[in-house]
Amino acid sequence: MTTFPTSRAVRTTPEGLLWEPSDRWVRGRKGEVTVVDSRHPVLVWEPEVPVPLYAFPREEVREDLLRPARNPLTGTHTGSRIFYDLDLDGELLENAAWTFAAADLAGHIAFEWFRRAGRGLEHWYEEEEEIFIQPRDPHKRVDALPSSRHVRVEIDGTLVADTRRPVLLFETGLPTRFYVPREDVRLELFVPTDHHTGCPYKGTAEYWSWRGTAGVPRNIVWSYPQPLPAVGAIRDLLAFYNEAVDITVDGESLARPVTPFTRTLSQQPPSS
């Protein structure tokens, strides 16, 4: 029988994992099948991975659907001990779950999230809200605050946005993002793309690329048409990658920040 920890303090294992109990009710599904239904999940941070994952007590997992992996992965998930394939009516999802060797996490099973790894469970819920890509980090804040700052955005010397009614989005570990009403953006200078991304804090974003001749990465502008309730203030507003455009706030030019997105943007082909 698994002993459920109750303290909220973050622990460290000899393998370098960080873990912390969560009070959230978490469920994971593949199609219409609920594979995980847990009221005692544990958040786990792997070394050098900035986002957490969940591990669950075995009693709260459909172990009858798990089979020892036919082709277990190597070199993934710090301290992983055993990998499992998920068998759903003959459909085998390879390496969908695993256990950690850490003694602190004995009796727990972790799962891949399809929208993060391309395999694993497709739908995840915290309480009654569906979440995407990864669990939300309790040590991270995301605040969307309406503002009256004067924000100007330029691309290759062309003014593309000018507003005094932005919404500033403050997200731990990332630069401030400036969300601009569509009426204050020269949207005719951009073309919509079929690119979409998911965020556990904001929802699903749609994108636009620059029509100009500058070597600007694709999908430089994004918007959340149906953001999650906590950041509802950014609905339908447009934001630009600070890493690749020039932004001026109240007359002060902002330096282009270096973030995990900097490399991703530099590897994209230009929009024209």
Side-chain angles (χ1 to χ4, degrees):
M1 178 64 112
T2 301
T3 300
F4 301 126
T6 57
S7 172
R8 298 299 302 275
V10 176
R11 284 94 153 167
T12 304
T13 75
E15 296 80 6
L17 298 167
L18 301 177
W19 67 277
E20 176 183 62
S22 172
D23 293 329
R24 301 187 183 195
W25 175 27
V26 179
R27 285 155 291 159
R29 294 177 181 169
K30 167 64 175 174
E32 297 301 317
V33 179
T34 298
V35 180
V36 176
D37 189 335
S38 177
R39 286 170 170 78
H40 307 90
V42 171
L43 284 163
V44 181
W45 290 262
E46 298 181 280
E48 299 183 5
V49 179
V51 297
L53 53 85
Y54 274 126
F56 308 96
R58 287 182 175 272
E59 299 93 314
E60 299 177 340
V61 170
R62 286 283 306 274
E63 283 196 86
D64 59 300
L65 301 177
L66 300 181
R67 311 284 181 264
R70 296 184 303 183
N71 301 295
L73 294 173
T74 58
T76 60
H77 299 302
T78 303
S80 56
R81 181 174 60 183
I82 301 173
F83 279 89
Y84 297 97
D85 297 337
L86 181 65
D87 187 351
L88 292 174
D89 296 326
E91 179 187 2
L92 204 65
L93 302 180
E94 292 194 341
N95 297 298
W98 71 94
T99 63
F100 289 107
D104 287 359
L105 298 173
H108 289 73
I109 298 175
F111 284 82
E112 294 286 12
W113 293 36
F114 180 81
R115 292 187 62 179
R116 175 178 175 181
R119 64 180 184 278
L121 304 188
E122 299 168 328
H123 298 285
W124 289 92
Y125 302 85
E126 290 178 346
E127 302 301 330
E128 297 301 327
E129 185 172 297
E130 186 169 8
I131 55 175
F132 308 95
I133 310 298
Q134 71 210 32
R136 287 176 284 203
D137 190 329
H139 304 285
K140 183 172 184 176
R141 286 188 63 93
V142 179
D143 298 304
L145 303 180
S147 177
S148 59
R149 296 199 197 195
H150 185 195
V151 176
R152 292 165 53 91
V153 182
E154 295 184 4
I155 295 179
D156 194 33
T158 299
L159 181 66
V160 298
D162 190 336
T163 189
R164 294 181 182 272
R165 47 180 186 152
V167 171
L168 275 55
L169 189 130
F170 302 92
E171 183 170 354
T172 303
L174 289 174
T176 303
R177 301 300 190 189
F178 300 91
Y179 283 77
V180 180
R182 293 187 182 221
E183 298 84 356
D184 297 339
V185 176
R186 297 180 62 189
L187 200 51
E188 74 276 5
L189 299 178
F190 302 88
V191 58
T193 74
D194 59 2
H195 184 60
H196 292 81
T197 59
C199 172
Y201 305 98
K202 298 184 287 291
T204 300
E206 57 188 16
Y207 286 79
W208 289 258
S209 287
W210 172 239
R211 289 184 185 270
T213 58
V216 177
R218 290 180 54 80
N219 303 307
I220 197 70
V221 185
W222 71 88
S223 179
Y224 288 91
Q226 295 182 314
L228 296 177
V231 292
I234 66 172
R235 180 185 298 273
D236 287 330
L237 276 59
L238 300 167
F240 299 78
Y241 277 110
N242 310 41
E243 297 87 341
V245 302
D246 297 310
I247 298 178
T248 302
V249 180
D250 292 336
E252 179 181 352
S253 297
L254 304 186
R256 293 187 182 184
V258 177
T259 74
F261 294 104
T262 302
R263 176 180 294 181
T264 301
L265 290 166
S266 68
Q267 293 173 344
Q268 291 185 22
S271 57
S272 60

